[in-house]
Amino acid sequence: MAIWTLVLTSACRSEPEPAPGEASLVRAFGQGTLAHRATPREGYAGLKLRASGERTYVLEITRRPDSTESRRFVAYGESEQVLWRLDEQPQERFTDFTVHPSGDVSLGVERTADARETYDLVRLSAEGTVRVRQPVPRAETLPASDLVGLPTAPFLMRSEPTAGLVDKWLPWLRLEARGEDVVLAFLTFVDVPDGDFGYQKLVSGVMAARWSGEHYGEEWTRVVDSEHALLQVSWEYDEFHWRDAATQPLLAVSPEGRVVVGRGLGAGRCGALARVFQEISSQECSRLKRGTPHRYVPFAYTAFSPTGAREGTRVLAPEEMEEFLVFDMALRGGELALGGTASVRPRDDENLPYYPPAPGEPALMVPYDGYVAVVDVATGALRSTRALDVSEGRGDHVAALRWTEEGLLAVGATGWDRWNSGMSVSRAAEPFLALIPEDGGQVLSRRLSTGSPDRHFHLLGVEVRGDTVLAVGLADAPMTHSGDGGRTDLMTFGGLRVDLR
């Protein structure tokens, strides 16, 4: 394993001595200790983490040399002690989880061998005892206005009857706690066979499920996007999983019970919104198309009241960007934060400001900045945007966001290169953390230098506990062509954990 050194980027330089009473996260980013632990490949890497008291819960994944993958759900105590864990069984996929105020956990599981109704909810105690495992409740409260062009029971509740459409590292079944209850956002195939090709058309939905103490029961369900085809995406950035990010549903729930569902707005989804919900016009859908659809993906979110009333869809499609994709979102009150990546659109007939991979070489690389925006949930009005150029000119992207009392936390990948004639990454990423103050002040960031330009190290999940920032991700992960020539052993990876305090 490489010896790592801490690099404090120019974006995070602060005064030598913090002012008296300075906020704890600001102090951590300015002068705190950045500790890290990397496990060698093949190992388990963190996809998502949440804190509850002194515990952290992490959904982890591993890939073996034969290309098979499996996941586990782990409860860690202090000093990363494993308190208990739950491993996937054959023909299962752990999709997502959420932590309730009581300390209970709701875990989403997909039964991959079944033909329909494959999504399960598992309720776990803080000690790891399974309280119940049941299928997601049937949707019996759908209003007729949601079912235009759909069967009465539209949800097959299966994510991939035909293998190979997307990798689905990022879930098609999302969970967020609403007190002891749970809200689910899901993408599923429509329960209507499509000719000789099986189930092909998708539909997305959202459900509020109430916890009785013994089981989950449906409270309300709504269609988010009506019938549409899979997004026109056919690529990804290695373990960044851009293809998944363009397809997956995102979910956020406010303490008051308001629900927001976000997703990439491909042509099919946009057409469904125009056809069924009239929340966008077909003319606007045409206007949103730009260049290559899998490189510029407008973002849409739909809000629902605590009782399931549809409050409309808003779209973010920054015209100044040539390439654009949202990876994560976070809700606080009436503000919705969005994080991803973007490449600036050329002005008039100018070319993109390509840069050389090394001094004296041709300028072939596309610059990306991490993109963070805050919008007003009710109106979609843009309140602020930030470009995170932690790499100072190379590629950056935000993979996960978290609101704190001191601003937005963001983590992701920095320092990678993508050439201008394709989607291949030719220089590996390094992990970064950033704190974006609410007052519009200077963005603070910390970056780890891994000394490994041929293998990715980057972060996928972030949480805050007191004055400590916790983050998880991948170590020694593959790049675009790492597995060329049948070298599937080089497509494995290890795990990365970062603590900043």
Side-chain angles (χ1 to χ4, degrees), residues 199-259:
Y199 298 93
Q200 296 293 312
K201 295 299 179 68
L202 298 171
V203 61
S204 54
V206 59
M207 173 185 292
R210 189 170 296 280
W211 172 244
S212 71
E214 297 180 348
H215 67 276
Y216 299 94
E218 182 206 23
E219 184 177 348
W220 54 261
T221 306
R222 298 298 305 262
V223 170
V224 178
D225 295 310
S226 193
E227 181 181 287
H228 61 279
L230 192 69
L231 292 178
Q232 294 85 359
V233 290
S234 58
W235 53 268
E236 64 185 74
Y237 277 106
D238 320 304
E239 302 313 323
F240 300 169
H241 286 265
W242 286 37
R243 182 167 58 183
D244 292 346
T247 306
Q248 65 169 333
L250 297 175
L251 176 64
V253 179
S254 74
E256 299 76 27
R258 183 185 227 174
V259 176

Side-chain angles (χ1 to χ4, degrees), residues 234-319:
S234 58
W235 53 268
E236 64 185 74
Y237 277 106
D238 320 304
E239 302 313 323
F240 300 169
H241 286 265
W242 286 37
R243 182 167 58 183
D244 292 346
T247 306
Q248 65 169 333
L250 297 175
L251 176 64
V253 179
S254 74
E256 299 76 27
R258 183 185 227 174
V259 176
V260 178
V261 182
R263 64 281 189 201
L265 191 64
R269 285 176 175 167
C270 198
L273 283 174
R275 182 178 66 254
V276 176
F277 298 106
Q278 291 86 49
E279 294 173 336
I280 191 170
S281 68
S282 57
Q283 292 80 9
E284 182 68 7
C285 288
S286 297
R287 190 191 68 82
L288 290 174
K289 296 178 182 178
R290 178 182 302 159
T292 308
H294 58 260
R295 297 188 184 184
Y296 183 91
V297 184
F299 183 79
Y301 69 87
T302 305
F304 299 87
S305 76
T307 58
R310 191 178 181 106
E311 297 180 341
T313 298
R314 304 287 183 262
V315 178
L316 179 65
E319 294 185 0

Side-chain angles (χ1 to χ4, degrees), residues 423-499:
M423 304 308 292
S424 296
V425 174
S426 59
R427 176 187 171 94
E430 296 181 332
F432 81 90
L433 306 91
L435 177 64
I436 305 167
E438 292 191 68
D439 61 5
Q442 184 182 36
V443 175
L444 309 177
S445 67
R446 299 289 288 263
R447 172 183 178 179
L448 283 171
S449 177
T450 63
S452 179
D454 300 321
R455 304 285 295 186
H456 286 313
F457 289 72
H458 62 94
L459 298 172
L460 295 173
V462 64
E463 179 65 289
V464 62
R465 186 172 61 195
D467 59 357
T468 301
V469 180
L470 312 171
V472 295
L474 281 72
D476 200 17
M479 291 174 52
T480 308
H481 299 291
S482 295
D484 286 0
R487 292 298 307 274
T488 56
D489 59 307
L490 296 181
M491 297 302 292
T492 58
F493 47 79
L496 176 65
R497 182 181 178 115
V498 173
D499 297 340

Side-chain angles (χ1 to χ4, degrees), residues 106-376:
S106 290
L107 175 69
V109 182
E110 182 180 2
R111 290 174 279 107
T112 58
D114 292 346
R116 59 178 60 243
E117 307 295 333
T118 66
Y119 294 152
D120 282 356
L121 291 175
V122 179
R123 183 84 170 204
L124 300 159
S125 72
E127 291 72 37
T129 301
V130 177
R131 299 192 187 278
V132 70
R133 175 168 179 166
Q134 66 171 84
V136 168
R138 288 181 178 272
E140 298 179 344
T141 65
L142 281 166
S145 58
D146 283 13
L147 295 174
V148 175
L150 292 172
T152 304
F155 306 132
L156 186 66
M157 286 302 193
R158 180 175 172 84
S159 73
E160 195 176 0
T162 304
L165 293 177
V166 291
D167 286 345
K168 296 202 313 308
W169 266 39
L170 306 178
W172 282 22
L173 173 64
R174 287 267 184 190
L175 307 181
E176 286 292 340
R178 189 164 70 164
E180 294 305 309
D181 302 331
V182 68
V183 177
L184 307 86
F186 51 87
L187 182 63
T188 172
F189 284 81
V190 179
D191 196 5
V192 175
D194 184 13
D196 297 330
F197 300 100
Y199 298 93
Q200 296 293 312
K201 295 299 179 68
L202 298 171
V203 61
S204 54
V206 59
M207 173 185 292
R210 189 170 296 280
W211 172 244
S212 71
E214 297 180 348
H215 67 276
Y216 299 94
E218 182 206 23
E219 184 177 348
W220 54 261
T221 306
R222 298 298 305 262
V223 170
V224 178
D225 295 310
S226 193
E227 181 181 287
H228 61 279
L230 192 69
L231 292 178
Q232 294 85 359
V233 290
S234 58
W235 53 268
E236 64 185 74
Y237 277 106
D238 320 304
E239 302 313 323
F240 300 169
H241 286 265
W242 286 37
R243 182 167 58 183
D244 292 346
T247 306
Q248 65 169 333
L250 297 175
L251 176 64
V253 179
S254 74
E256 299 76 27
R258 183 185 227 174
V259 176
V260 178
V261 182
R263 64 281 189 201
L265 191 64
R269 285 176 175 167
C270 198
L273 283 174
R275 182 178 66 254
V276 176
F277 298 106
Q278 291 86 49
E279 294 173 336
I280 191 170
S281 68
S282 57
Q283 292 80 9
E284 182 68 7
C285 288
S286 297
R287 190 191 68 82
L288 290 174
K289 296 178 182 178
R290 178 182 302 159
T292 308
H294 58 260
R295 297 188 184 184
Y296 183 91
V297 184
F299 183 79
Y301 69 87
T302 305
F304 299 87
S305 76
T307 58
R310 191 178 181 106
E311 297 180 341
T313 298
R314 304 287 183 262
V315 178
L316 179 65
E319 294 185 0
E320 70 276 16
M321 302 304 175
E322 179 69 13
E323 302 188 19
F324 173 71
L325 182 62
V326 170
F327 280 77
D328 196 18
M329 70 182 194
L331 177 66
R332 186 188 62 174
E335 294 183 319
L336 184 68
L338 307 172
T341 192
S343 182
V344 176
R345 188 178 187 181
R347 297 178 181 176
D348 301 325
D349 58 352
E350 296 177 7
N351 292 321
L352 279 169
Y354 300 127
Y355 64 90
E361 296 185 11
L364 299 173
M365 303 299 158
V366 181
Y368 287 88
D369 287 341
Y371 180 89
V372 176
V374 177
V375 301
D376 181 272

Side-chain angles (χ1 to χ4, degrees), residues 351-399:
N351 292 321
L352 279 169
Y354 300 127
Y355 64 90
E361 296 185 11
L364 299 173
M365 303 299 158
V366 181
Y368 287 88
D369 287 341
Y371 180 89
V372 176
V374 177
V375 301
D376 181 272
V377 174
T379 67
L382 195 62
R383 292 188 174 179
S384 66
T385 60
R386 290 296 187 102
L388 305 185
D389 186 15
V390 180
S391 64
E392 298 184 338
R394 294 184 183 273
D396 296 89
H397 93 267
V398 173

